[in-house]
Amino acid sequence: MTAPLNSPRTGSGARLALLAFAQFIITIDYNIVYVALPDIGNAVGFSTQSLQWVVSAYAVAFGGLLLLGGRAVDRMGGRRLFMVGLSCYAVSSLIGGLTTDQGVLLAARAVQGIGGALLFPAVLALIATNFTEGAERNRALAVWGMAGSSGLSAGALLGGVLTDGLGWEWVFYVNVPLAAGAALLAPKLLPADAPQRSGHRGGFDIPGALLVTVGVSALVFGLATGPEVGWSAPRSAGALALGAVLLIAFLLVEGRSRDPLMPLRMLRNRSLVVAMAIIFVFQAALAGGYYFFTTYVQPVLGYSPLKAGIAFLPLTLLSMLGAGKLAAPLIARWGMRATLALALAVNGVGIGATGLGMSVNGSYWAVLPGIVIWGIGGGATFVAAFAAAGSGVAPNEQGVASALASTAQQVGGAVGLAILVAIANSTLVDGGSGPTAASTVDGLRLAGLIAGATLIAGAVLALALKKPAAAGASDVVASSGDAAKDRVPSGR
């Protein structure tokens, strides 16, 4: 993707609001269907075993196509792919709400995932090319992170409200006006995509695109089905083996390609590689955290879907605080390295404390202190990690850099959920009519403690980032003032 034709200073506030709103749409779709799953299963006829594919179809398509989507953004333009991604969301959501056919519904969810795989890197690339690296971009990423954090938990709340009040179809219908409205605003608020430089007509690396798309899709598929069918089952083990082989082949092809989908030299960017590792660990713990918290408030505490959605509100608000108000000032003062290490450790303490607060006859108030700490640390980690991923990357490679980071996020979430669900279920004891409440809580508490310890250990990864130079650090602090608002990115 090349630099925008007009100045990023023109209407930058409205532009950032649109990009943040698009991220809100993406993250809503992670959680909005969860509380509607029982109603969807009854209405469409899914079995208990097949119902999970309403969630997994989205995850497999999203994770598998991210790298291809990121490169498409770099080649075809951020604004163009932004509009295509939103159109995918709008059309597939309308079809998903109208259908009562299992195959059509799963196909609609997969197309939503394709929309996410195009939209996510487009949003991050547009932020990177419209806001100067440093304090200005960190503030833009803080707004983006705040929108993402709010979408994750708002999805659970909105899903409960819509399912109880209007029916399960509305967890799909709600996307139609949101996505269509954002797509219509894009030509007015986003700068036009500049034409490719003359003489640059490189191919699209079709072999690499096929290998990485099928490879990551197979990997996510294997991870998603492992807890359900068993890790040694051909369906899971075969998919994991196929994914590993195809990804190795992808790296070999990229090393020889004249115009690679993912230039291997990008893996020499320490900030990008470390950020990918951090995002993997962070999302692995976060996916498990959402699972054990949801399982605690519903089966154990007996909350309704709507009440469970409301239970997520403190986590939402505090994640927004960490992302929107704390991340950018901490990065400006302490640098990316120290901020990430601190945020990961705080996040780990919070998730661990949430697990410790769970008990058979417990209450929501016992886990609330852990949720407070979890939310603040998680919001700050999310922003700082993606800021690190885009640091030092050329404007015409921001799409693939953000796709690499998000692929680490998707795979990390699948790995973490699979492992932590297995850990949570390892303590279950059948009480005659199913697992006992005591054994359920023991498993959830153990999963929470392991997720928290993983994040604290992951804070060590942040120390692999380069220390900020003294002069650079002072410059960043200075740029966090009003003067930074007047800077125009050079060469963009």
Side-chain angles (χ1 to χ4, degrees):
M1 185 181 67
T2 50
L5 292 174
N6 57 330
S7 168
R9 302 268 50 84
T10 305
S12 60
R15 183 173 306 156
L16 179 57
L18 177 62
L19 295 174
F21 183 66
Q23 180 63 20
F24 179 80
I25 293 173
I26 295 170
T27 53
I28 271 185
D29 264 14
Y30 279 115
N31 280 1
I32 196 168
V33 300
Y34 276 99
V35 296
L37 286 177
D39 287 9
I40 292 173
N42 291 333
V44 186
F46 284 104
S47 66
T48 303
Q49 180 175 341
S50 62
L51 184 59
Q52 59 113 6
W53 281 104
V54 177
V55 176
S56 297
Y58 179 84
V60 170
F62 196 139
L65 290 165
L66 265 169
L67 196 52
L68 179 59
R71 201 49 164 170
V73 168
D74 291 334
R75 287 298 179 80
M76 300 172 66
R79 188 176 81 170
R80 187 174 292 112
L81 270 296
F82 181 89
M83 295 169 67
V84 171
L86 286 167
S87 299
C88 286
Y89 268 112
V91 173
S92 60
S93 296
L94 179 61
I95 293 172
L98 290 171
T99 190
T100 56
D101 180 84
Q102 293 180 20
V104 174
L105 181 60
L106 294 182
R109 283 292 284 167
V111 175
Q112 282 185 330
I114 294 170
L118 298 175
L119 187 57
F120 188 91
V123 169
L124 277 175
L126 287 165
I127 289 175
T129 54
N130 282 274
F131 298 89
T132 311
E133 184 172 347
E136 184 184 49
R137 186 184 298 172
N138 292 340
R139 285 195 296 271
L141 284 168
V143 175
W144 167 84
M146 186 165 61
S149 297
S150 64
L152 280 173
S153 296
L157 176 59
L158 188 58
V161 171
L162 292 174
T163 301
D164 282 354
L166 298 173
W168 67 266
E169 299 90 344
W170 281 90
V171 302
F172 292 96
Y173 290 151
V174 71
N175 275 327
V176 178
L178 298 181
L184 291 173
L185 286 173
K188 299 179 181 180
L189 297 180
L190 299 177
D193 298 317
Q196 287 189 353
R197 295 186 301 275
S198 110
H200 186 75
R201 296 175 178 258
F204 204 75
D205 186 18
I206 298 299
L210 290 173
L211 286 169
V212 75
T213 298
V214 179
V216 174
S217 296
L219 190 64
V220 176
F221 178 89
L223 290 167
T225 57
E228 173 192 356
V229 302
W231 296 105
S232 60
R235 183 172 163 189
S236 177
L240 292 172
L242 176 63
V245 169
L246 291 178
L247 291 178
I248 292 171
F250 167 71
L251 293 176
L252 294 175
V253 167
E254 296 305 277
R256 297 182 178 185
S257 176
R258 295 179 58 187
D259 204 4
L261 185 71
M262 185 194 77
L264 295 185
R265 57 182 163 72
M266 295 186 71
L267 299 181
R268 295 196 294 268
N269 181 329
R270 189 198 295 183
S271 290
L272 174 60
V273 173
V274 173
M276 288 172 61
I278 289 171
I279 290 167
F280 180 95
V281 171
F282 171 66
Q283 190 65 28
L286 184 65
Y290 271 101
Y291 167 81
F292 75 70
F293 179 63
T294 302
T295 303
Y296 181 66
V297 297
Q298 287 186 287
V300 177
L301 297 186
Y303 283 16
S304 67
L306 178 57
K307 192 173 181 181
I310 294 172
F312 273 94
L313 276 179
L315 183 60
T316 301
L317 296 175
L318 290 160
S319 294
M320 292 171 64
L321 174 65
K325 298 297 183 182
L326 298 179
L330 289 175
I331 294 171
R333 179 174 294 276
W334 293 344
M336 207 79 71
R337 187 172 184 262
T339 299
L340 267 173
L342 176 64
L344 281 162
V346 170
N347 192 201
V349 168
I351 288 184
T354 302
L356 281 175
M358 295 178 178
S359 62
V360 175
N361 298 313
S363 69
Y364 180 73
W365 303 109
V367 299
L368 187 58
I371 289 171
V372 170
I373 302 169
W374 170 2
I376 292 172
T381 299
F382 191 72
V383 171
F386 276 97
S391 178
V393 176
N396 66 331
E397 292 181 338
Q398 285 288 341
V400 74
S402 63
L404 283 167
S406 189
T407 300
Q409 181 186 24
Q410 295 301 312
V411 176
V415 170
L417 185 59
I419 293 174
L420 290 169
V421 166
I423 290 170
N425 291 339
S426 67
T427 64
L428 295 183
V429 175
D430 196 320
S433 59
T436 65
S439 66
T440 298
V441 170
D442 287 344
L444 296 177
R445 187 185 298 119
L446 178 61
L449 289 173
I450 291 177
T454 299
L455 283 167
I456 293 171
V460 178
L461 289 171
L463 302 181
L465 291 169
K466 293 180 180 178
K467 290 183 179 180
S474 62
D475 290 342
V476 171
V477 174
S479 69
S480 65
D482 294 336
K485 299 178 182 178
D486 300 324
R487 292 189 308 177
V488 177
S490 59
R492 298 188 181 180

